Amino acid sequence: MNLAFMWHMHQPDYRDESGVVQMPWVFLHAIKDYYDMPWMLSRYNNLKATFNITPSLILQLKLYRTNPQKSDKFLNLWLQDQDSLDMKNYKWMIKICKSVPYDTMAAPIESYSRLYQKESYKHHEFFDLQVLFILSWCGVYLRTNSKVIKDLLAKKSGYTYEDKLSLLEELTSFIAGIFDYYIELKKRNIISLCTTPLNHPILPLLLDVK
């Protein structure tokens, strides 16, 4: 039996009319999935797969190569002084920072699990919540190979603004290398690449299964 694996990277376009990304899902999946999936595949001999990467995903990932905070609403607020946030943005940040599946992403990080279950936050708790949320999205590769990520996870609490800057710099640099890694694996004949129309989110709908 011939069996083909195809992974469809389908992120919708979250940019508004000004070009600013309104939800952080492209950034978050980039640090957890977009590198980890081909990396894990490459660790097994004779196992291959095709990755379908949509133009809307490519365009959005490029925004994070430089000045990501200017291109992403969440990261812009994430880097602001907490006292400058109005109540609407404060509540929105908490909602986003608690938007992960508890059992698989929050519970394994004890300090994040504790904050995840709270209803209100002191100043330093809100700050830690923001950092731990991003750390919870860091994939296996980053947790295994990045000293910055490992050190911040080990710190557990009491994060500083400098920690935020260090974390964002590390992740921005990491995201900038994702497409180069796909190209490297393609040249090594480990993966194949394909694409679909610019804003079409669900590849299976394009297939004629009759």
Side-chain angles (χ1 to χ4, degrees), residues 99-136:
S99 63
V100 304
Y102 175 78
D103 290 341
T104 56
M105 294 180 66
I109 305 176
E110 183 180 354
S111 52
Y112 183 36
S113 174
R114 176 176 54 81
L115 293 174
Y116 184 99
Q117 298 178 74
K118 291 176 67 71
E119 295 297 328
S120 60
Y121 299 93
K122 298 178 181 178
H123 188 279
H124 69 278
E125 291 176 328
F126 178 52
F127 196 96
D128 284 353
L129 178 71
Q130 296 173 63
V131 176
L132 290 164
F133 168 69
I134 296 294
L135 290 173
S136 76

Side-chain angles (χ1 to χ4, degrees), residues 4 11 20 57 73 76 87-88 103 121 131 136 144 148 165 178 191-193:
Q11 286 296 335
V20 175
L57 174 58
K73 174 184 175 181
N76 181 274
M87 186 54 63
K88 179 180 179 181
D103 290 341
Y121 299 93
V131 176
S136 76
T144 304
V148 172
L165 293 178
I178 289 178
I191 67 170
S192 297
L193 297 174

Side-chain angles (χ1 to χ4, degrees), residues 55-66:
S56 63
L57 174 58
I58 294 172
L59 291 172
Q60 290 178 94
L61 274 181
K62 286 182 176 180
L63 296 175
Y64 295 102
R65 292 185 175 183
T66 56

